[in-house]
Amino acid sequence: MNHTTQDTKKQGLTEDQVARARREHGTNAMTPPKRAGFFSHFVKNLGDPVVKILLAALVLNLLFVFRTADWVETAGIAISVFLATFISTVSEYGSERAFARLNEETENYSCRVRRSGRVLSLPLSEIVVGDIVLLSSGDRIPADGFLLSGSLKVDQMAMTGESREVEKRPRHGEKLLPSSTSAVLRGCSVLSGDAEMQVATVGDATIIGGISREITLDTRESPLKLRLGKLAKQISRLGYAAAILVGLAYLFNAIVLDHGMRWEVISLRLTDVRFLLTTLLDAFTLGLTIVVVAVPEGLPLMIAVVLSSNIKKMVRDMVLVRKPVGIESAGSMNVLFTDKTGTLTEGSISVFGLFTDREDTKNLDTFRRSYPQAFSLYRLSAHHNTSAALSGADVIGGNATERALLSSVSAYGIDKIGQLIKKMPFDSVRKCSSASVSADGGITLVKGAPERLLGRIQFSLGRDGQKIPFDRSAFSARMNHLTRSGIRVILIAFAEGIGKEDEALTLVCGVALRDKLRAEARASVASLLEAGIHVVMITGDNVDTAKSIGEACGIVTKETPLCIDSDDLATMTDGRLAEILPTLAVVARALPGDKSRLVRVAQEMGLVCGMTGDGINDAPALKRADVGFAMGNGSQVAKQAGDIIILDNNLSSIVRAVLYGRNIFKSIRKFIVLQLTMNLSAVGVSMIGPFIGIDAPVTVVQMLWVNIIMDTLGGLAFAGEAPLPSCMKEPPKRRDEPILNGYMVNQIVLLGAFTIGLSLAFLKHPVFTSRFRYATDDIYLLTAFFAFFIFAGVFNCFNARTDRLKLLSGLSKNRPFLIIMPAIAVIQIIFVYLGGSVLRTVPLLSEELKTALLSALLVFPAEALRKLLWRWFVKKPKY
């Protein structure tokens, strides 16, 4: 549909044309990503691997709840599933809603449109193909299109990643691309000028619309979800094995031994089919109970709580988490592709000094005294051969380089020698810009990259302002020394006459530009390297400058010495790139597509990959990465694609994100150790108890209190674990590394077995039983055992929270733990004295309660001995 007629240009679209354009091409509203409702989010979160096991256990419990009356376990599982899923859903749904509101605010602006001869102010979504939009300084471009008249200076950094101002002016026959002179694209900003554009594409058909669709595609599973899936399989196997063993033991006891326990109502009668069926059903029910009890039903709830609580803490450290699972992914990261500008450096370019072929780099005052004529031309170029401008004391517009040049001469005033006659803006192909002024009978000032201008320079200016032969080798030596030191160099030159930018040139000076490293950059890189994270810097600088900066911040090392540019990368196959990636430190002159390729190849190598970015062009790579770090000052599309937003654009904040991620994974592992240890203890005591004459060592209601400690209170206590710097001295975990490692299994089995043995001794051995008053129903002993078992659980929380021998290490930083554990002990004592028949307790004498407490303390030396033996014989990483 072509609306470009002379009448349309003057008058704009009519109402009929607007309606037809809307029918044929749609509105300018981009299709929002499909956001599921709260209920859909809830159902999706039920697909968590551990939650699936809990749901299966819940179904089995419901099938047998009327037979076994185990309503407490059934209710406990149901509540755990609901709370864990609900908390995760609220966190994720709330995050999406917040970003949806942010997007609405970002897109909620109006633009001036000419329709039927009148200029209207219309909201962004009302723009249609063929509309004539009026643009001026400060406007945001509402759609993709072409300029019809006027000229603009446009900031396309968000779209292309290039921090420079681009001049746009009408030109026929061009394609709708960022590099086209007449094309203006949605999402970019107008820095200066006035123009009229005609809209060519709207909504999803725009370039930014295509990128937005790409970042809505699903990415691979996070490391945490992958590990939880493996944990679910491990727990299932262990539960099934335990169920089979306990079921067989029950059958052996019921059918063969016949010790006369309460379930053996009938003596051994192999011919009695009814007896066999009843016994088999009892064994099967017992086995199902073991499977259900073995499942750590508090784990999903704990994960939801620990992620949510750490998200709040991280905001104070300038880290805003969009997707909770991104925190744990950051902790598992083993390669980070990071931008240079603004992340490793301050992002503020300044003029370091000026130099010539016969003079080393001098500050501006010294250069001005030594080369007055050259300095005068440098000032003239800074004022005229630029897109930046002075606004009072501030420099506005232009790109970072042009602002730096103009700022450097603003204190010297404006030269009156000559007026601007003609200007050619910077071109990415020519890599230079030019301005013709009337000074000295007319000269053309040229500013650009050394590789483009150096070959055309034949003369330079001496101290007296006269032309002298250009010493190319001396100048190149000085320039190379600067670039190897991380200094960027551009050239200022001139040719006599108007419009002579392509003629032989005379050097005015070389300009040394510096973007200082952040003060904390080197320490941040060192922290990442110590944590086993391979850091690769991606920049638009040339290789020499990039290598120097990489060396300065510690990225280029003996282990990672390789520095390449985008051209080198393009010649490599994916296989070759995978081979050199472990030694890669810097990718210079990088293009937007290089980032996505690096991420893809790294992931194919099995690495957990992180990526930083701020522009629209970075969005696909941010989305593809396992964890995308969007910069706080970046584009909205980049933030939407990222998992984590670094509010201060600082690499040190990424280090903190990694620290939090690792701490979260450790907290999850610690909680699993507690849960499985206590589950093993509870199952062991409950299963063995009837065989030694104690039918119910722990009642159903007492087990509910045990579950509350393990599932809810234990989860809250471990969620408060503070991140310790020691986490950053460990290598990253493999993406497919199981949650349960050898150390954890050793601790669960041995500590659980010791707790079971200690519990059985407490119930049967005279050393313990003789310290309690006698009762026909053993009520004093059973009350004391209830207190003992809870105290042992509390003390095992201390054992599980650290792999160090010093149990109190770092405890002062976990306030929830310090509050919850004493509170559990106090509540338990209250239960002993006030629980009555509900909790099957009676008041104990102080000596009896003391015996229970001191007996439970034995888990401390037992665990200390286990840790010592582990260190002596294994010496492998712990949590």
Side-chain angles (χ1 to χ4, degrees):
M1 180 177 180
N2 184 10
H3 299 291
T4 310
T5 64
Q6 290 301 318
D7 187 57
T8 298
K9 290 180 182 180
K10 294 179 180 179
Q11 303 296 322
L13 300 181
T14 64
E15 290 301 319
D16 290 340
Q17 289 174 320
V18 169
R20 187 164 69 252
R22 189 171 287 122
R23 286 194 305 270
E24 294 182 8
H25 303 283
T27 68
N28 196 34
M30 288 194 296
T31 304
K34 292 183 179 179
R35 291 188 174 90
F38 187 88
F39 181 74
S40 298
H41 268 286
F42 189 88
V43 172
K44 181 181 178 182
N45 284 330
L46 289 175
D48 179 90
V50 178
V51 170
K52 286 181 179 179
I53 293 184
L54 290 176
L55 289 174
L58 180 62
V59 171
L60 293 174
N61 249 24
L62 288 173
L63 291 175
F64 293 95
V65 69
F66 297 108
R67 188 178 196 283
T68 63
D70 191 10
W71 58 269
V72 173
E73 184 68 30
T74 304
I77 293 174
I79 292 172
S80 296
V81 169
F82 174 78
L83 287 178
T85 309
F86 182 77
I87 291 174
S88 296
T89 303
V90 168
S91 179
E92 293 176 12
Y93 186 72
S95 177
E96 286 196 7
R97 291 281 295 174
F99 269 84
R101 289 194 297 270
L102 185 60
N103 284 336
E104 289 173 5
E105 293 173 3
T106 303
E107 297 295 322
N108 186 23
Y109 64 91
S110 299
C111 49
R112 293 174 298 150
V113 181
R114 181 182 293 116
R115 286 184 180 173
S116 300
R118 294 183 301 147
V119 176
L120 308 174
S121 178
L122 298 178
L124 180 73
S125 59
E126 293 295 315
I127 304 299
V128 298
V129 171
D131 262 331
I132 306 300
V133 179
L134 283 65
L135 299 172
S136 59
S137 178
D139 287 344
R140 296 176 60 186
I141 298 170
D144 292 355
F146 297 98
L147 293 190
L148 297 177
S149 62
S151 64
L152 299 173
K153 300 292 190 300
V154 177
D155 180 4
Q156 293 189 148
M157 181 177 178
M159 184 68 69
T160 64
E162 297 182 16
S163 59
R164 63 182 181 83
E165 182 179 292
V166 179
E167 183 173 359
K168 298 290 183 177
R169 58 184 183 275
R171 179 180 290 179
H172 295 294
E174 290 191 321
K175 294 182 178 180
L176 199 58
L177 297 171
S179 58
S180 298
T181 303
S182 61
V184 285
L185 307 177
R186 178 171 177 165
C188 300
S189 302
V190 178
L191 297 175
S192 63
D194 294 283
E196 294 185 2
M197 67 168 284
Q198 184 170 47
V199 175
T201 59
V202 294
D204 293 338
T206 60
I207 292 178
I208 192 175
I211 296 174
S212 296
R213 287 196 304 276
E214 185 176 348
I215 66 173
T216 61
L217 299 177
D218 291 334
T219 54
R220 66 176 183 172
E221 283 186 335
S222 70
L224 180 60
K225 190 168 184 180
L226 187 66
R227 291 164 181 160
L228 287 175
K230 290 191 174 185
L231 177 65
K233 292 178 181 179
Q234 288 176 316
I235 292 173
S236 297
R237 294 191 192 103
L238 291 173
Y240 294 147
I244 292 172
L245 290 175
V246 172
L248 291 175
Y250 176 83
L251 289 174
F252 180 78
N253 180 75
I255 298 176
V256 179
L257 297 183
D258 187 20
H259 288 300
M261 295 184 181
R262 63 180 176 83
W263 58 76
E264 297 160 18
V265 180
I266 307 174
S267 61
L268 183 62
R269 291 182 298 173
L270 294 176
T271 57
D272 191 330
V273 176
R274 183 178 179 183
F275 167 74
L276 286 175
L277 290 176
T278 302
T279 305
L280 287 171
L281 185 57
D282 284 340
F284 181 69
T285 303
L286 186 61
L288 290 179
T289 303
I290 296 298
V291 172
V292 171
V293 174
V295 175
E297 60 263 39
L299 180 57
L301 176 60
M302 184 270 176
I303 292 175
V305 170
V306 74
L307 288 175
S308 298
S309 64
N310 277 275
I311 286 173
K312 295 179 181 178
K313 295 176 186 176
M314 292 172 74
V315 173
R316 296 194 294 268
D317 285 331
M318 306 305 291
V319 179
L320 177 63
V321 179
R322 277 205 60 219
K323 303 171 185 176
V325 76
I327 314 175
E328 195 280 327
S329 297
S332 301
M333 181 174 65
N334 41 32
V335 61
L336 172 66
F337 299 104
T338 178
D339 286 330
K340 182 210 74 174
T341 303
T343 305
L344 293 168
T345 65
E346 295 177 352
S348 177
I349 298 175
S350 60
V351 175
F352 175 65
L354 307 178
F355 67 99
T356 70
D357 56 336
R358 286 171 169 78
E359 196 77 47
D360 289 332
T361 305
K362 307 291 184 183
N363 62 45
L364 268 66
D365 283 334
T366 303
F367 189 86
R368 179 191 181 196
R369 291 192 296 269
S370 301
Y371 292 86
Q373 181 64 22
F375 186 76
S376 179
L377 290 174
Y378 168 71
R379 291 171 60 196
L380 195 64
S381 175
H383 281 291
H384 290 306
N385 189 10
T386 183
S387 297
L390 286 171
S391 177
D394 298 325
V395 177
I396 60 174
N399 58 45
T401 299
E402 290 175 329
R403 290 193 296 271
L405 295 177
L406 187 53
S407 295
S408 71
V409 301
S410 59
Y412 297 98
I414 301 176
D415 253 323
K416 302 299 182 182
I417 54 169
Q419 299 296 320
L420 179 65
I421 299 174
K422 176 185 176 183
K423 185 164 68 172
M424 182 175 292
F426 181 87
D427 182 270
S428 58
V429 177
R430 297 171 63 246
K431 292 188 180 297
C432 65
S433 63
S434 64
S436 297
V437 295
S438 59
D440 296 331
I443 59 172
T444 300
L445 295 162
V446 182
K447 173 188 67 187
E451 58 263 33
R452 295 300 176 127
L453 300 186
L454 196 57
R456 294 164 47 201
I457 295 177
Q458 297 182 1
F459 301 98
S460 63
L461 292 179
R463 289 175 177 266
D464 58 1
Q466 298 300 310
K467 289 183 181 181
I468 56 178
F470 179 58
D471 189 339
R472 194 177 312 279
S473 61
F475 184 86
S476 296
R478 290 187 172 90
M479 182 181 68
N480 292 336
H481 174 73
L482 289 170
T483 56
R484 285 193 295 268
S485 301
I487 304 296
R488 181 179 164 220
V489 173
I490 64 170
L491 304 188
I492 307 294
F494 74 94
E496 295 178 349
I498 303 300
K500 301 295 184 179
E501 58 271 358
D502 294 323
E503 303 294 329
L505 300 174
T506 298
L507 177 72
V508 174
C509 62
V511 183
L513 298 161
R514 178 172 58 186
D515 184 4
K516 292 182 180 179
L517 276 181
R518 287 182 179 269
E520 63 277 13
R522 188 172 183 85
S524 299
V525 170
S527 296
L528 292 172
L529 295 179
E530 186 178 25
I533 299 173
H534 178 195
V535 182
V536 179
M537 183 179 77
I538 301 176
T539 177
D541 290 335
N542 65 42
V543 172
D544 287 340
T545 301
K547 181 179 180 180
S548 174
I549 294 171
E551 290 172 342
C553 64
I555 291 177
V556 178
T557 65
K558 291 181 179 179
E559 292 76 21
T560 55
L562 187 59
C563 301
I564 62 174
D565 61 21
S566 184
D567 292 338
D568 298 327
L569 194 65
T571 62
M572 294 181 185
T573 63
D574 287 351
R576 175 57 182 160
L577 178 56
E579 289 177 8
I580 62 101
L581 187 57
T583 62
L584 182 62
V586 171
V587 178
R589 298 296 190 198
L591 300 175
D594 294 336
K595 290 187 173 184
S596 291
R597 186 184 177 203
L598 286 165
V599 171
R600 177 176 55 79
V601 171
Q603 289 179 336
E604 289 172 355
M605 295 171 64
L607 301 176
V608 179
C609 179
M611 172 65 73
T612 71
D614 55 9
I616 294 172
N617 60 307
D618 294 328
L622 289 171
K623 179 69 175 178
R624 179 185 287 272
D626 293 291
V627 53
F629 297 99
M631 297 297 109
N633 64 352
S635 68
Q636 193 61 32
V637 173
K639 293 176 185 177
Q640 188 175 357
D643 304 294
I644 295 174
I645 299 174
I646 305 301
L647 299 176
D648 60 354
N649 309 323
N650 199 327
L651 189 67
S652 63
S653 296
I654 296 179
V655 174
R656 289 191 288 271
V658 173
L659 175 60
Y660 274 103
R662 293 191 171 188
N663 182 67
I664 287 170
F665 187 60
K666 279 181 174 286
S667 297
I668 292 172
R669 277 185 157 176
K670 293 172 185 178
F671 181 73
I672 288 173
V673 167
L674 170 66
Q675 275 243 308
L676 295 184
T677 300
M678 294 305 295
N679 279 0
L680 177 61
S681 302
V683 170
V685 172
S686 298
M687 293 302 103
I688 298 175
F691 290 93
I692 62 174
I694 301 178
D695 290 347
V698 181
T699 68
V700 171
V701 179
Q702 288 174 349
M703 188 59 73
L704 175 61
W705 173 230
V706 173
N707 279 343
I708 290 175
I709 293 173
M710 289 191 301
D711 299 344
T712 306
L713 298 179
L716 292 173
F718 281 97
E721 282 292 295
L724 300 176
S726 58
C727 294
M728 297 298 289
K729 296 181 180 179
E730 301 173 3
K733 305 294 187 291
R734 299 192 321 274
R735 171 177 162 78
D736 59 348
E737 179 173 327
I739 292 181
L740 276 178
N741 61 17
Y743 178 85
M744 296 170 66
V745 173
N746 178 275
Q747 184 175 14
I748 292 165
V749 172
L750 295 185
L751 187 57
F754 178 82
T755 305
I756 293 172
L758 186 60
S759 298
L760 297 176
F762 190 94
L763 289 168
K764 298 300 291 186
H765 200 283
V767 171
F768 297 97
T769 57
S770 62
R771 296 179 178 274
F772 303 99
R773 288 169 285 172
Y774 174 76
T776 55
D777 57 357
D778 291 329
I779 187 63
Y780 297 107
L781 176 63
L782 292 176
T783 299
F785 177 74
F786 178 39
F788 157 81
F789 196 79
I790 296 300
F791 290 149
V794 171
F795 298 151
N796 277 332
C797 285
F798 285 85
N799 283 330
R801 68 164 294 275
T802 180
D803 51 29
R804 300 182 180 183
L805 290 173
K806 296 180 180 179
L807 293 178
L808 303 183
S809 176
L811 185 59
S812 61
K813 297 180 180 180
N814 188 349
R815 292 184 62 188
F817 195 97
L818 292 173
I819 295 172
I820 290 172
M821 292 304 146
I824 292 173
V826 171
I827 293 172
Q828 179 59 38
I829 294 173
I830 294 173
F831 282 170
V832 166
Y833 290 96
L834 301 178
S837 59
V838 175
L839 286 167
R840 197 187 66 179
T841 61
V842 293
L844 296 177
L845 299 175
S846 60
E847 286 299 317
E848 292 173 327
L849 185 61
K850 182 179 178 181
T851 299
L853 179 62
L854 292 176
S855 300
L857 284 171
L858 292 174
V859 299
F860 285 140
E863 173 62 7
L865 178 61
R866 187 202 65 80
K867 288 177 180 176
L868 283 172
L869 292 174
W870 180 272
R871 292 186 180 188
W872 286 340
F873 294 106
V874 183
K875 296 181 181 179
K876 288 184 179 179
K878 290 87 173 175
Y879 294 131

